[in-house]
Amino acid sequence: MALNGHGSSDAYHPSNADMGSTITQRGFKITTRKLPILKAAPIEQMTSELGIAPPEMIFGDNSVSIEHIASGWSINFNTFEALNKVDKTGTTMLQVAHSKEWQSTRQEKHQGITEVVKPFDWSYTTDYMGSLSPGNRLFTPTLSSIPLELLKRPDPILFFDEVMLYEDEMADNGITMLSCKIRVMPARLLLLCRFFMRLDNVLFRLRDTRLYIDFSTCQVIREYVAKEENYEAIRLKLAESREDALAQMRDPNRLSELLPVRRAQYAFLRPFSQSPQTFAVTQTAENLPVAKKVRQISLSGPVNSSASTINGLHPQTAQQSPSRKLAQEFRKRAPEITETYVAYGVSEALVKECAKQADYSIPQAKEKGMEVPKTQDGEDLGVGTGWWYEEMGLTPTFNTWAQITFLHMYLLTVRIRCFPAAHTPTWNQHMINHFSYLAEERMVRVHNIQARMVRNKYLKDLFVQWRGLTAGYDEGLVKGDAVLAAAVWRNVCKADENVDLENLGMVVAYMRSVLSALDTMDDSAVATGDVVFGSPGSEAALVKQRSKMMDLEITSEIQSPVVL
């Protein structure tokens, strides 16, 4: 049990399978550890120690720790201590009242909901503020808050990580989760440990613990803010603002702006003695060449390798801000530390660019009582513009959008494979993660799929499709355009026998053209995210040209037909 901020000596101890990622900055050592969900044996051990059943998804080996090396002071954020702060007595009547209200809103839909109401807080609400090591100095109450004006500065970020501690879907009627985010700048760091709960038609709740450290003064400030409001009040506020209520209700950052503060407290530590230790990185940094000037490239149409100007922007004249130059220098000196943060942000922009290529909408879904049109296969039928819909003749559906997005993601993935071997898996994982976020958001916003279990099923199917089409497109790149066209036909065109072969040829030529353009970009240029895709229609002239092979006499060696 965490008592007065200290961790107990008999608490559950996670394994040491992975010591995590570490950065040391001006006398402070910051470590994050992320491992998979606990297996059965550790869960049983933790359950025995806690005295309550843990959440559905529990990351018991995950943690974030900060240590002041000179003084030995340290604070740790971990799953066990957070859950140990959950009310285990069942005497918190507010929680029980909400569980009854939750049950009444579901009526006969979820008959087993009474099983959730156990003699502990079934929402896993925690006011966890971190665990101090035994013997450490304690926080002292203060009226001073975190200096937000300093955090708003465009300082380069040396290290960033997000660590999930636990999550529970509350029988598919909401979500409760606890996570930590930390970012380290040259002069300071900020950690956010956030508990978020959404109980559909009942309640929103946030419990935020922020830890701020100023490296120059060794000042440590801890801020704890509890926010809460009933579900209907927030829904009405979002309706008045004409925002997409369903999407906003899933965004803790947006909800934080709407929820009223129920409790706030601030504390600080008296400054430590100054330490002469300077910036050091625990991992081995690779000696990379100085990053070249940022440039933007439009990936549309054939590439002229001799051209000095691409998309109207000359590579030698592209301007960089001082902060961006400094960030690139840090990335060059400490790539293992910065790569995760760079990959997370840039891959998000790249995936969004891929998703734009076949965007669509369903106007009927925005009108109450309107029936959404369906395809012959039962898919929601939308309205889309652009080459893929107007020229290729594809149907504006979720599946079409996903397949065209996948096609563009694949082209980027081929280029990312050329990154340093240690970085490629990080970029690939972030690409898939961001696609999953976009796909799930589209399911809710455009198709009104509220059941999380249904969304998860679709996401799993999409992941399987991604693995399959990657193999198909890889085979096409190696074996030739006919095989590549067959892969596009199967995935994008759903094996439609009436497909326009000329348009199919444009897609294949477009893929080759984009890959050629990406090949002209160095790694640092790709890693800025300045990629803009064009249209397969730009390949029309090339596809319409008569191949010289068509004028050759057919012999037994070349007469095998190509079946698409």
Side-chain angles (χ1 to χ4, degrees), residues 530-554:
D530 293 325
V531 173
V532 179
F533 290 106
S535 167
S538 60
E539 306 295 330
L542 176 64
V543 172
K544 291 179 184 297
Q545 290 182 9
R546 183 178 178 84
S547 172
K548 294 181 180 180
M549 294 288 292
M550 297 179 67
D551 297 326
L552 296 179
E553 181 180 355
I554 297 178

Side-chain angles (χ1 to χ4, degrees), residues 1-8 49-52 76-90 92 95 120-121 123-132 166 178 193 195 207 209 222 224 263 265:
M1 180 77 176
L3 300 175
N4 198 19
H6 288 114
S8 60
E49 294 282 349
L50 290 171
I52 62 174
N76 179 276
F77 292 80
N78 64 82
T79 306
F80 179 88
E81 295 295 343
L83 287 172
N84 218 7
K85 296 284 287 180
V86 173
D87 175 29
K88 305 174 186 177
T89 65
T92 310
Q95 310 304 327
F120 68 91
D121 182 1
S123 71
Y124 297 101
T125 299
T126 179
D127 58 357
Y128 184 53
M129 304 181 198
S131 304
L132 297 174
Y166 63 79
L178 180 69
C193 181
F195 171 83
R207 301 286 187 266
T209 297
R222 186 179 68 187
Y224 173 78
R263 178 189 171 196
Q265 62 182 64

Side-chain angles (χ1 to χ4, degrees), residues 5 14 52 175 207 213 250 417 441 499 518 559:
I52 62 174
I175 190 170
R207 301 286 187 266
I213 298 179
R250 300 168 60 250
R417 290 172 183 169
E441 186 270 340
V499 68
L518 286 170
Q559 66 183 359

Side-chain angles (χ1 to χ4, degrees), residues 61 188 201 240 403:
D61 289 326
R188 57 192 62 86
N201 299 323
E240 293 173 356
Q403 290 298 327

Side-chain angles (χ1 to χ4, degrees), residues 209-224:
T209 297
R210 289 179 171 84
L211 190 72
Y212 169 85
I213 298 179
D214 189 303
F215 297 135
S216 61
T217 63
C218 289
Q219 179 188 36
V220 181
I221 298 176
R222 186 179 68 187
E223 172 185 295
Y224 173 78

Side-chain angles (χ1 to χ4, degrees), residues 187 293 361:
K293 297 289 184 178
S361 63

